[in-house]
Structure formats: C-alpha cells, structure tokens
Amino acid sequence: MLRGAALRVTRPRVAVLTAVHDHPHADTDSIIGVAREDLGDVSHQAVYDVLRALTAAGLVRRFQPKDSVARYEARVGDNHHHVVCRSCGAIADVDCVVGYAPCLTADGSIYEIDEAEVIFWGRCPKCVAAIQVK
Ligand SMILES: [Zn+2]
Ligand SMILES: [Zn+2]
C-alpha cells in the first residue's frame, strides 16, 4: 500500500498503517500504544508525523466527531459515514447512503461538491439495552 502511494517503506509507517488497519476508528493514543508493541519506544511525534503522511497520501482517513479526539481508519475511498453513540461514544461505519460521493446534494450551493461527510448520532445497541433494563 505504501509503495502504491509512492511512500518510502519504513518500519514506523508499516507499524502505524497496520495499527490503523487492525483498529478502525482508533485515536492517536491507542495507535501509539499498538505501534509501540511493534516498534518499541517510538515517539508521539514520530507517530503523528506518520499519521499525517498516511492521511495526506490518502491511505488513511482522519475524522473527528464533535467532543472527540481525531480518529483514524484505513477504510478509505468508499464515501462511508459514521454513527456515534451519544452515551458511550462508540463509533460504527455506515455505508454511503446513496452508494457514491457526494451522497447528498447541497441545494443552493454554487460550489462544485465532491464529498459529504456525515456523522449520524444516536445510541448503540448496548446503551439502548442498558436503558431498557432500568
Ligand atoms: Zn453506547
Ligand atoms: Zn469508518
């Protein structure tokens, strides 16, 4: 994947990309934790730099629900969206609503739109079940 994006293959890049692959929607701290299992004592800054390079190359997608830290995932290019649980913050993927970008029309905009980034908010099954038990 790195070679396909014309990025030099380095151990930190491979470790971070693997971590993002294996842990969809992970935040930076958990990615650092996973990368350290692989690389030993890699610095925060090094992981940030790699995440920035991977995001810029389009191998990783960064998104940030409100009141949350940035999240990363390796599922890119399919215009999928996210649903976030208001109670526990769990995040799940939602397929593109219409199947292709930009998914929604922006009536009245004179911009040429190519993407719509949608975050749905609600409650996850666990939190719904917890409320019903009470
Ligand atoms: Zn929840
Ligand atoms: Zn996702």
Side-chain angles (χ1 to χ4, degrees), residues 2 7 13 16-17 20 49-60:
L2 288 166
L7 286 177
R13 283 178 178 169
V16 171
L17 188 54
V20 174
D49 290 347
V50 170
L51 281 171
R52 202 172 310 122
L54 295 177
T55 305
L59 294 181
V60 163

Side-chain angles (χ1 to χ4, degrees), residues 85-90 122-128:
C85 176
R86 288 186 193 280
S87 303
C88 71
R123 281 192 178 76
C124 73
K126 265 191 209 157
C127 290
V128 170

Side-chain angles (χ1 to χ4, degrees), residues 27-49:
D27 60 15
T28 313
D29 283 346
S30 19
I31 294 166
I32 291 170
V34 177
R36 279 191 176 150
E37 287 171 19
D38 201 9
L39 294 171
D41 201 17
V42 63
S43 73
H44 276 242
Q45 191 57 48
V47 173
Y48 277 116
D49 290 347

Side-chain angles (χ1 to χ4, degrees), residues 66-106:
K66 77 176 156 62
D67 301 330
S68 167
V69 294
R71 308 289 181 138
Y72 295 88
E73 66 185 343
R75 184 179 166 185
V76 295
D78 66 351
N79 197 58
H80 78 274
H81 308 296
H82 293 103
V83 56
V84 183
C85 176
R86 288 186 193 280
S87 303
C88 71
I91 300 172
D93 285 336
V94 177
D95 286 338
C96 178
V97 177
V98 297
Y100 50 86
C103 195
L104 301 168
T105 53

